[in-house]
Amino acid sequence: GTAYHYSVTAVNSGGTSRGADASFTTPYPLPAAATLVASNVTASSAQLAATVNPQGTATSYYFQIGVTTNYNLFTVTNTLVAGTNAISVTVPIASLSPGTLYHYRISAANSSGTSSGQDATFTTLTVPPAQATGTLAAAGGNMALSLTSVSGASFTVLASTDATLPLSQWTI
């Protein structure tokens, strides 16, 4: 990122000749990117972390994620201002599948190109079976049902007055 000026000077018995001023600018180094350990891992989300050093020029970064190192998913792209120190960055990611091993890495790009951090992994939590409790009130035939599991788990409740019917005939 530094501009340099130069000119050529030639000297012989006939005298001295000086060329015109010319210049060039050295490119900025690639950004330095390091993938860190994911945190706040749940059954459906995680917080991805990394450090990025912009190496003196504006730098954009994003995380690549997938169930293999083909990384078929990408987070939103964020931008860092020019600087020369490593900056900690985090990005939350959601809509993950429970009990699944995910690969991820940071990618950072500046005017000189793109660099990526090392591959890292985490496994989302497995959703335990729902714990159901229920009571049937004799008066009016009302039933109260309570389901508990991990935060963010979803359930489908089926009902029937005839437990011998196949589930496809129960009401959601």
Side-chain angles (χ1 to χ4, degrees):
T2 303
Y4 292 93
H5 291 266
Y6 66 95
S7 67
V8 175
T9 302
V11 178
N12 67 17
S13 60
T16 300
S17 175
R18 187 161 289 168
D21 180 65
S23 65
F24 66 92
T25 301
T26 58
Y28 286 98
L30 290 173
T35 308
L36 301 178
V37 176
S39 63
N40 301 324
V41 178
T42 70
S44 62
S45 65
Q47 178 109 353
L48 306 181
T51 59
V52 176
N53 183 333
Q55 303 283 31
T57 186
T59 298
S60 60
Y61 70 90
Y62 59 92
F63 284 91
Q64 298 173 298
I65 186 167
V67 294
T68 69
T69 54
N70 288 333
Y71 308 113
N72 61 330
L73 302 171
F74 306 90
T75 65
V76 66
T77 299
N78 296 289
T79 303
L80 298 171
V81 296
T84 56
N85 294 318
I87 299 167
S88 294
V89 297
T90 59
V91 172
I93 187 159
S95 300
L96 303 175
S97 298
T100 303
L101 173 72
Y102 285 95
H103 291 262
Y104 68 101
R105 70 179 178 184
I106 185 77
S107 284
N110 65 18
S111 58
S112 293
T114 302
S115 60
S116 296
Q118 69 281 16
D119 177 70
T121 61
F122 67 89
T123 301
T124 52
L125 302 177
T126 302
V127 177
Q131 301 299 312
T133 57
T135 57
L136 181 59
N142 294 324
M143 181 175 180
L145 179 65
S146 173
L147 297 173
T148 57
S149 186
V150 295
S151 176
S154 62
F155 304 96
T156 301
V157 178
L158 302 174
S160 176
T161 57
D162 183 353
T164 63
L165 292 174
L167 289 177
S168 62
Q169 294 180 9
W170 288 38
T171 304
I172 294 178

